[in-house]
Structure formats: C-alpha cells, structure tokens
Amino acid sequence: MKQKSTLRWILENLPVILAGVALFTIVIMETAQCIYRYTLSHTFNFVDDVAVVCFSWTIFAGAAAAYKAKLHYGLDVLINAIPVKHKAKYMVVLDTLVMLAFAYFFYYSVVLFANVGPKILMTTGISYRWVDGGLVYGMLMMLIYSIEFLIDDIKKLKNNTDESKEGTKCAF
C-alpha cells in the first residue's frame, strides 16, 4: 500500500524531481569543475556537455512543474480583468487556446527530436536527442496539464450553469 502511494507521489511530482536533479547536477559538476581548475589546474571535458543536457531538462521540466502549480503569471492579468459571472466561460476558451498552443509546441518538439540526425555533443559524443528530450518531455507534460485544467474548468462551467438554472427554477 505504501509502495503504491510512494510511486504515485513520484509520478505526480516527476517534473519537479527531474528539474531538481538536473539543477543539482549542474551546480555540483560546475562547482567541482571550478575547484579543480583553480586548485589543480585540471578540467573535465565532459562537464560542459552534461551541463547543456541538464540545463535543457531543468528549463523544460521546471516550466511544466510551474505550469502545473499555476505559477505562470502571464494570463492572470487577463483573467482578473474578466467579470466574475463570465469568468468560467472565458476560462474554458482560454484553456482551449492554451491547450492548442501546447499541442502545437509538442508536435514541433517531436519533429525537432526526430530530425536531430547525427548531431552530437562535442566532447562526450552524446546524441543531441538528450537535449531535445527535455523539450519533448516539458511540452508533453504541459499539454497533459492543460487538458486537465480544461476538463476542470468545463466541470466548473457545467456546475455553474446547472446551479444558475436550479436557482432560476427555485426563484420562480
């Protein structure tokens, strides 16, 4: 029972975990690189390539985690300007537009991932797909979250409509 809840927690928080591990890896490796460079006059060639891969995963997994937690403030200004009685309708429209945008971004991230070809990182020879994989993952997660938000807002709109109809029936 506890194992299922732990696995569920990990899956629900995977974007945060991936972004955190990638950021931690960047900080540790670059710190070690700096210490070695100035104390032992030695550098590790692979650190820059690993940092590029980790940076991609930090950015896109972190963006997905922020989107899930509704920490992107750009649309809040628009939503707060809408009158309360019309907010549910506009949220469904806005969620649909955002979902379509993330579907578009996800599609083109997969195209980018598929068209990498023989491109590799310079010192390690790691395929550039590891860098583009962070983009694909981030866009997929944001698409999934936008679908969840759209479904939730449709349910809220439906509940508001049902309540207003019932209220009208009771009032007459």
Side-chain angles (χ1 to χ4, degrees), residues 19-152:
V21 168
L23 183 61
F24 180 76
T25 302
I26 292 170
V27 170
I28 292 298
M29 291 185 76
E30 292 294 340
T31 302
Q33 177 83 320
C34 187
I35 291 170
Y36 272 81
R37 183 182 320 124
Y38 291 112
T39 59
L40 302 175
S41 299
H42 176 70
T43 61
F44 299 108
N45 294 334
F46 65 90
V47 171
D48 291 336
D49 286 355
V50 174
V52 167
V53 172
C54 289
F55 185 72
S56 173
W57 282 87
T58 299
I59 295 301
F60 295 112
Y67 182 68
K68 178 184 178 187
K70 298 184 179 185
L71 295 174
H72 289 231
Y73 295 111
L75 298 175
D76 288 346
V77 174
L78 178 66
I79 298 304
N80 291 335
I82 297 171
V84 176
K85 67 179 186 175
H86 300 296
K87 193 174 277 194
K89 293 176 192 173
Y90 285 108
M91 285 301 297
V92 169
V93 171
L94 187 61
D95 285 341
T96 302
L97 292 173
V98 169
M99 182 202 62
L100 291 172
F102 282 131
Y104 179 79
F105 298 149
F106 174 67
Y107 171 75
Y108 279 105
S109 69
V110 171
V111 169
L112 179 69
F113 182 83
N115 291 329
V116 165
K119 189 174 179 182
I120 59 172
L121 295 167
M122 292 299 289
T123 57
T124 59
I126 296 172
S127 172
Y128 214 79
R129 289 184 184 203
W130 283 98
V131 176
D132 294 342
L135 173 64
V136 173
Y137 175 77
M139 291 302 123
L140 174 64
M141 294 310 294
M142 286 190 264
L143 175 61
I144 290 169
Y145 296 145
S146 66
I147 292 169
E148 288 177 5
F149 295 156
L150 176 61
I151 291 169
D152 289 345

